[in-house]
Amino acid sequence: ALEYFEKSLIIRPNDYSIFGYIGICKAKKGETEAAIETFEKATNMDSEMIAYFGKCLCSKGLYSSAFSHLENALARDPN
């Protein structure tokens, strides 16, 4: 999936929501630092993307920022 999302940026370079999907792929592969850098480029993230971003921040010890992101994700989708 990561390969296809990266290719989609060539077609739609201004669609910054794609970065959220790339961030999730990198997080699932254990590439936490790369995932964080990618999430920072994303806009219009949904609750799942924000939650993954928060989990990555937490694993890096950035607890305050992680809490903020996780709280935001929960507020958007409490289920």
Side-chain angles (χ1 to χ4, degrees):
L2 178 58
E3 176 184 334
Y4 294 106
F5 286 127
E6 289 174 338
K7 285 181 181 180
S8 68
L9 282 175
I10 296 168
I11 298 166
R12 296 172 32 195
N14 296 323
D15 187 348
Y16 293 101
S17 65
I18 295 170
F19 287 105
Y21 296 111
I22 293 171
I24 288 174
C25 290
K26 290 181 179 184
K28 286 184 174 184
K29 289 176 62 177
E31 299 174 8
T32 306
E33 191 66 40
I36 290 171
E37 291 174 12
T38 304
F39 282 126
E40 289 173 343
K41 297 175 187 175
T43 58
N44 300 323
M45 290 194 288
D46 63 22
S47 59
E48 181 183 17
M49 293 173 191
I50 295 168
Y52 269 100
F53 191 9
K55 291 176 187 179
C56 289
L57 293 168
C58 187
S59 72
K60 288 299 203 179
L62 302 169
Y63 302 116
S64 178
S65 186
F67 179 78
S68 175
H69 282 81
L70 293 170
E71 188 174 54
N72 184 355
L74 186 59
R76 287 178 180 220
D77 185 5
N79 296 317

